[in-house]
Amino acid sequence: MFGNRIFRSEQEIIEGCRRGDRKAQRILYDSYSKKFYAICLRYIKDRDLAEDVLVEAFMKIFEKIDQFESKGSFEGWMKRVVVTRSLLTLRNNKNLLMEVNLESEGDYNQPSYESNHLEAEELMDLVTSLPTGYRTVFNLYAVEGYSHAEIAELLGITESTSKSQLNRSRNLLKQKIAEQELKERRING
């Protein structure tokens, strides 16, 4: 992953970044930018804005790299910075206002569906189509592995709201999957 003669390990790259070495920063960016861009896109639908968030996240990583204490995964530490930057962008951008829907549970039908043959990309497209609040909680919980307490703290909501948003996002995903399967059955006969 770090195909450079000067830096032979992740630790050497981290040390280079701590010294402000531009080559080390470039190697780190090139090594993780695609993966972290995908994370930004899970929260922010607009590709240009997601790219801006990615750049801001790397700037924050370089600025705060001294705070990484070599306990746990460096990639995990960076990923947390990327997720936090994405959430801050959602919170601060009025055009992306995160709706936290508190309607009754009966709003979405519980579809019955057999097995589905969705590809990962199709499933991520369905997740992306969720309303911002649902999508954000779903991603934080199901994809990133945050607890409801952590989500509540990150988003400034209660744990019960986080649990409710997750439940509603799952129900809406089930409905969207069932609708897609029905559409495919009609097409395929």
Side-chain angles (χ1 to χ4, degrees):
M1 181 180 272
F2 309 112
N4 188 298
R5 292 186 182 125
I6 300 171
F7 303 103
R8 291 184 267 292
S9 69
E10 182 178 80
Q11 189 57 42
E12 288 180 11
I13 291 173
I14 293 169
E15 292 305 319
C17 289
R18 285 185 171 142
R19 291 189 310 269
D21 185 311
R22 295 284 184 210
K23 286 183 181 178
Q25 291 173 340
R26 186 68 200 188
I27 291 169
L28 189 66
Y29 180 86
D30 289 345
S31 298
Y32 290 99
S33 61
K34 287 181 183 177
K35 180 184 276 189
F36 291 161
Y37 179 63
I39 291 171
C40 292
L41 281 175
R42 282 201 298 258
Y43 295 96
I44 300 166
K45 290 182 182 181
D46 181 275
R47 291 185 174 280
D48 291 334
L49 185 56
E51 197 171 310
D52 291 345
V53 170
L54 175 70
V55 170
E56 290 172 12
F58 269 100
M59 288 172 39
K60 188 62 75 175
I61 288 167
F62 298 141
E63 176 186 323
K64 304 284 185 184
I65 199 161
D66 286 331
Q67 293 179 5
F68 176 66
E69 300 174 348
S70 298
K71 295 177 184 171
S73 160
F74 181 58
E75 181 178 342
W77 179 83
M78 290 189 301
K79 183 177 176 182
R80 191 166 187 96
V81 172
V82 172
V83 169
T84 300
R85 292 303 317 160
S86 298
L87 295 176
L88 285 172
T89 299
L90 280 176
R91 190 181 298 168
N92 294 333
N93 191 326
K94 292 178 182 163
N95 294 331
L96 297 176
L97 186 62
M98 190 172 96
E99 64 274 354
V100 176
N101 196 339
L102 298 176
E103 294 139 13
S104 65
E105 286 291 321
D107 287 350
Y108 298 108
N109 298 329
Q110 291 264 353
S112 62
Y113 58 94
E114 301 128 26
S115 66
N116 62 68
H117 302 2
L118 286 178
E119 296 292 326
E121 187 174 322
E122 292 173 310
L123 182 58
M124 287 311 296
D125 287 344
L126 290 176
V127 171
T128 300
S129 74
L130 292 172
T132 306
Y134 292 178
R135 183 179 70 247
T136 302
V137 171
F138 182 85
N139 280 324
L140 288 169
Y141 186 84
V143 179
E144 308 295 344
Y146 285 85
S147 70
H148 286 294
E150 291 170 317
I151 294 168
E153 184 179 331
L154 283 168
L155 299 180
I157 59 176
T158 65
E159 280 186 60
S160 61
T161 299
S162 175
K163 291 175 184 177
S164 174
Q165 291 290 89
L166 178 64
N167 186 45
R168 290 183 179 131
S169 68
R170 286 177 173 163
N171 288 339
L172 188 53
L173 276 175
K174 287 177 188 176
Q175 181 180 343
K176 287 176 179 279
I177 290 169
E179 288 169 2
Q180 185 169 334
E181 287 180 344
L182 183 60
K183 190 186 312 179
E184 287 177 10
R185 274 188 251 154
R186 285 182 185 152
I187 292 171
N188 296 329

